[in-house]
Amino acid sequence: MKNNKKHKKTVFVWIVLFVLIAVFLLFPRAQYVKDGGSARYCSFCKGLIYEIDNYHSFYDEGGNIFYQVGCVIYIFGHEVYNNVHVDYSHLAVEKNDAEFNELDKEIESILFPTE
C-alpha cells in the first residue's frame, strides 16, 4: 500500500516537472525591432525550437518607400512558412507628398486665414 502511494507521488512529480519544462521551452520570448513595428518571437536559446518573425517595416526601393509586411516561421532552424511581401499600394512617396501638400494647405488656410 505504501509503495503505491509513493509511486503515484513520483509520477505526479514527474508530470509536473515535464509540464514546467515544456512551458519554459515553448513559451515565446518577444523581441521588438524599432523599424516600424516588426517583432520576433523565439523559444529558448534564441529560437532553438521555433522562431516567428512578424515583419511590418519600411522598405526603401530606389528612393521610394513602401511597407514590407508578412510572417516567417522557422522550426528547428528550417523555414516552414514565408508570406513576406512588399506592399506597393499605399505608401508611395509621390502619393504621400501630394496628400501631405493638400492637407498642409488646408491646415494653413484654417490657422492663417487670408481675407
Side-chain angles (χ1 to χ4, degrees), residues 56-115:
H56 188 80
S57 61
F58 293 111
Y59 177 75
D60 185 13
E61 184 178 290
N64 294 329
I65 299 174
F66 305 102
Y67 273 129
Q68 182 179 17
V69 292
C71 181
V72 180
I73 299 174
Y74 299 95
I75 297 178
F76 294 115
H78 298 287
E79 183 178 305
V80 295
Y81 180 75
N82 184 352
N83 75 339
V84 176
H85 63 280
V86 177
D87 189 4
Y88 293 101
S89 64
H90 66 284
L91 198 63
V93 173
E94 298 85 15
K95 181 179 176 183
N96 281 346
D97 284 345
E99 289 177 14
F100 176 76
N101 289 336
E102 288 177 24
L103 292 173
D104 190 39
K105 287 178 185 177
E106 184 179 338
I107 290 171
E108 283 182 5
S109 68
I110 293 171
L111 292 176
F112 309 109
T114 56
E115 294 180 16

